[in-house]
Amino acid sequence: QVQLVESGGGLVQSGGSLRLSCAASGSISSIPRMAWYRQAPGKQRELVAAKTSGGTTEYADSVKGRFAISRDNAKNTVYLQMNSLTPEDTGVYYCNAGVLVTSGGGYDSWGQGTQVTVSS
């Protein structure tokens, strides 16, 4: 009932910037929380940043001061602005949303992932 479509990944040199987008669609009533996770090769998936519909944000220590999460609640879209990228930021970035649907249920939805590669 809910789909997340990500865009914006790619290859960038160390020190560069990228902006990821994730749009949710479906029978959505509200999305209390939207987040970005990443998974580097051989590592577990980790939280990068999250933002509630009320505006509360959370960041991984490793990205504080470099990444910024934002939301357009009217468009059910979340963004991740990534600056001062380093090779350690390389991985597959996944959008995650806790969605309340119009039928009354809730879903923990994931996007398909977008690759971010930072070259040294």
Side-chain angles (χ1 to χ4, degrees):
Q1 287 193 342
V2 177
Q3 296 82 39
L4 301 180
V5 178
E6 301 145 340
S7 61
L11 173 65
V12 64
Q13 288 188 333
S14 184
S17 298
L18 283 174
R19 187 183 191 225
L20 306 183
S21 300
C22 171
S25 62
S27 304
I28 297 170
S29 175
S30 66
I31 310 178
R33 180 181 181 270
M34 300 188 83
W36 289 96
Y37 288 74
R38 69 185 179 191
Q39 188 165 18
K43 294 187 177 181
Q44 290 187 329
R45 190 174 299 187
E46 63 174 352
L47 175 69
V48 175
K51 189 164 188 173
T52 68
S53 56
T56 300
T57 58
E58 177 185 1
Y59 292 97
D61 288 343
S62 59
V63 308
K64 285 180 181 177
R66 299 188 298 121
F67 290 11
I69 188 170
S70 60
R71 291 180 57 164
D72 184 332
N73 292 329
K75 296 182 178 179
N76 292 326
T77 299
V78 64
Y79 307 94
L80 185 67
Q81 178 67 42
M82 304 185 292
N83 300 324
S84 302
L85 286 161
T86 73
E88 288 69 37
D89 296 314
T90 294
V92 179
Y93 283 68
Y94 296 91
C95 177
N96 170 256
V99 180
L100 301 180
V101 296
T102 54
S103 63
Y107 292 88
D108 184 32
S109 298
W110 291 88
Q112 78 283 2
T114 185
Q115 177 70 44
V116 172
T117 303
V118 185
S119 63
S120 58

